[in-house]
Amino acid sequence: MKNVVMLGHLDHFDVRQILESGQVFRFEKITEQSYMLVAKQKVIKLAQHEESSSVMIYNTNISELDEVWSHYLDIDTNYAEITSTLSAKDEYMAKAVTFGRGIRILKQDPWEMLISFIISQNKAISHIKECIKNISMQFGTPIEDEECKGYYTFPTPEQLKDATEEDLRACKVGFRAPYILDACHKILNEEIVLNELYLLPAEEAKEKLMSIKGVGPKIADCILLFAYSKMELFPTDVWIKRVMEGLYFEGREVKLAEIQKFAKSYFGDLAGYAQQYLFFYGRENALFTEKIKTKEKA
DNA sequence: GACCAGGGTAACT
DNA sequence: AGTTACCATGGT
């Protein structure tokens, strides 16, 4: 039976920061303090109390928390240690960690991450969310739930294989439609077995993923970080590139390879975490100053 | 209407 | 090996 579960005394856990840090796309903001989240073929509501910061998870129960959500939400990782190590690196990193101290890196489904980040290329996050919602409604399965209606699972490869390129374009994925179909085929004919990638070193897993059309180094890094917990990776998108150039390269433009090399030596096994704090800090600041600008104009 | 978004591919030197 | 045009779509 579904109910409510509370996570109390949990530091380094901010629902908004976790969901709005660009790692997950299947959520909706309900109020300032609560979100709906679709994951693991289920729908839950996450609500966080402003002062006590305790988290309520609606539409689940204790055993499901133990079996599913605790792992998904990365509850057992010691973020106190991670943040203190990163904060000691430099002043800016310390600021980023303070700003996003409630971030956790979720352990999401490899197949869903693969398709989601193929869609992500050269798109804004809000639009990525729309595309994924369209695809789920079109090809996923309605989630049977007394409390939460109108939600759909992310389609399996078997469900998605019936999609035509036109179907996918109708979901607004544009030129990425053939990429999605190629991913589908390579999974179904077992040219790539996603579960085997957990066991491979990051570099080998990355090569396999990049044999799929539309999957380059950045997208492969995202999949490996957000689904396979390869925490040493440092996905470098346009935001991270700007932040890194400003911080560690005196503002001059540098190659992706140079940023990767620096991040690997500077952040080591914590590169993935560092990347997430920097992304969240850099992006929220940029969006904030942009908002101020447009307000001044008006 | 140009420019940008959690980039990558293919066709060029 | 290193550049560059182009790729859909929506927002500013």
Side-chain angles (χ1 to χ4, degrees), chain A residues 60-78:
Chain A
T60 188
N61 54 45
I62 291 285
S63 65
E64 195 176 273
L65 176 68
D66 284 348
E67 291 161 17
V68 178
W69 299 119
S70 178
H71 177 260
Y72 177 90
L73 296 169
D74 202 25
I75 295 293
D76 293 330
T77 296
N78 186 351

Side-chain angles (χ1 to χ4, degrees), chain A residues 11-13 23 73-85 97 100-107 231 273 277:
Chain A
D11 199 5
H12 298 285
F13 194 101
Q23 59 178 318
L73 296 169
D74 202 25
I75 295 293
D76 293 330
T77 296
N78 186 351
Y79 279 79
E81 192 179 325
I82 293 163
T83 53
S84 103
T85 305
V97 165
R101 71 169 276 125
I103 288 176
R104 279 179 194 244
I105 297 188
L106 302 174
K107 296 184 191 299
M231 310 315 293
Y273 297 104
Y277 293 116

Side-chain angles (χ1 to χ4, degrees), chain A residues 25 67 115 135 183 207 281 290:
Chain A
F25 304 106
E67 291 161 17
I115 301 302
I135 288 179
E207 257 182 62
Y281 187 49
E290 202 168 297

